[in-house]
Amino acid sequence: MNKFPFVYCLLALFVTPAYPAQSTITEVKGEACMRDNKSRKLTEQAALIDAKKKAVEYASTHVRSETEVRGFALEKDLLSAYSNAEVRVVQELNKGWYKDASLGECYRIRIKAEVIPDEERIKDYDLQERCSMRAEELFAKHRIDEVGNDYWRNVTGTYRNHFNKKLNKCFMIIADNRRDPSNFTYPAKFMQDTHENRVCGLYLGILMPDVKKQRTLYCDVFGKPCKSEREWDSLVAPYMEE
């Protein structure tokens, strides 16, 4: 049996998406009360901190609603970029002291603020987004090619991708279970280096009708042989997570 029966047509270049946001401008209000342990100056500072915190919360929520987030890793990078954002006060719109019946002397400030996300985290998001888009294109092409093959039926497939920052590479894993006319099932997994246009890991097994134990036909990751699907998963893990 040919150890690699499936052919992939790969894109030559990354598609470069725009960053989800370079900065966000918003108007927010911050409040704080003196109580027994604050001076007027500390209360004013606390109100400004409250306003900046609300600006970050607004920017994070706004960007998430405007951006199609592709998976948990991307969402985590994006939220991290805004949790470490710099907030610049563009304009103080109004501010002043007032008395609250239960809290005493309080201070309120309304500002126009620019929320500037952490640049390195935005770069991380962009790299993961490029990787996700490329993997989506490759998987779509894979399904079109293989579903049209008359020999195989009952094709089920999934994929996952990850941009490995240490290696500066985008990897994806395609997993398929294929069944031939004799009801032999062929579990297959491929780890693809999407940029270099090559398969760098392959697992192929066989499960015969009425036999519960799966047999390994081929197992390899970057030239290192393996004996089982579990061992293959262990070998590819460092490339698919950090």
Side-chain angles (χ1 to χ4, degrees), residues 187-242:
K189 291 182 178 180
F190 309 87
M191 185 170 77
Q192 184 87 31
D193 181 333
T194 66
H195 188 63
E196 292 188 4
N197 191 5
R198 68 188 179 107
V199 172
C200 43
L202 169 64
Y203 172 81
L204 184 62
I206 185 172
L207 185 61
M208 294 177 285
D210 302 322
V211 177
K212 294 183 179 180
K213 188 175 181 179
Q214 181 173 302
R215 185 160 62 93
T216 298
L217 296 176
Y218 185 83
C219 190
D220 175 276
V221 177
F222 278 109
K224 183 175 182 178
C226 43
K227 297 180 180 180
S228 67
E229 184 177 5
R230 178 177 294 181
E231 187 179 355
W232 192 88
D233 289 340
S234 178
L235 289 174
V236 302
Y239 300 96
M240 298 298 296
E241 59 190 44
E242 293 170 86

Side-chain angles (χ1 to χ4, degrees), residues 137-234:
E137 293 280 357
L138 296 182
F139 185 68
K141 184 64 177 178
H142 162 75
R143 293 307 306 275
I144 291 171
D145 288 346
E146 299 304 330
V147 170
N149 191 325
D150 291 335
Y151 181 75
W152 300 102
R153 61 187 174 87
N154 297 330
V155 177
T156 60
T158 59
Y159 79 97
R160 59 191 176 96
N161 60 271
H162 176 68
F163 183 82
N164 189 302
K165 289 179 283 188
K166 291 181 180 178
L167 299 176
N168 194 33
K169 288 183 178 292
C170 174
F171 295 105
M172 71 179 296
I173 289 178
I174 295 177
D176 264 332
N177 284 322
R178 297 157 186 273
R179 190 178 299 165
D180 70 10
S182 300
N183 280 332
F184 282 60
T185 301
Y186 298 89
K189 291 182 178 180
F190 309 87
M191 185 170 77
Q192 184 87 31
D193 181 333
T194 66
H195 188 63
E196 292 188 4
N197 191 5
R198 68 188 179 107
V199 172
C200 43
L202 169 64
Y203 172 81
L204 184 62
I206 185 172
L207 185 61
M208 294 177 285
D210 302 322
V211 177
K212 294 183 179 180
K213 188 175 181 179
Q214 181 173 302
R215 185 160 62 93
T216 298
L217 296 176
Y218 185 83
C219 190
D220 175 276
V221 177
F222 278 109
K224 183 175 182 178
C226 43
K227 297 180 180 180
S228 67
E229 184 177 5
R230 178 177 294 181
E231 187 179 355
W232 192 88
D233 289 340
S234 178

Side-chain angles (χ1 to χ4, degrees), residues 17 29 47-48 77 110 118 136 161 172 200:
K29 179 177 66 176
L48 181 59
D77 282 334
R110 185 173 184 81
D118 181 85
E136 184 178 29
N161 60 271
M172 71 179 296
C200 43

Side-chain angles (χ1 to χ4, degrees), residues 6 32 61-62 65 69 80 88 95 100 109 136 161 163 173 177 188 217:
F6 314 120
T61 301
H62 175 71
S65 67
V69 180
S80 179
R88 185 174 68 88
K95 58 185 178 180
D100 184 276
I109 184 170
E136 184 178 29
N161 60 271
F163 183 82
I173 289 178
N177 284 322
L217 296 176

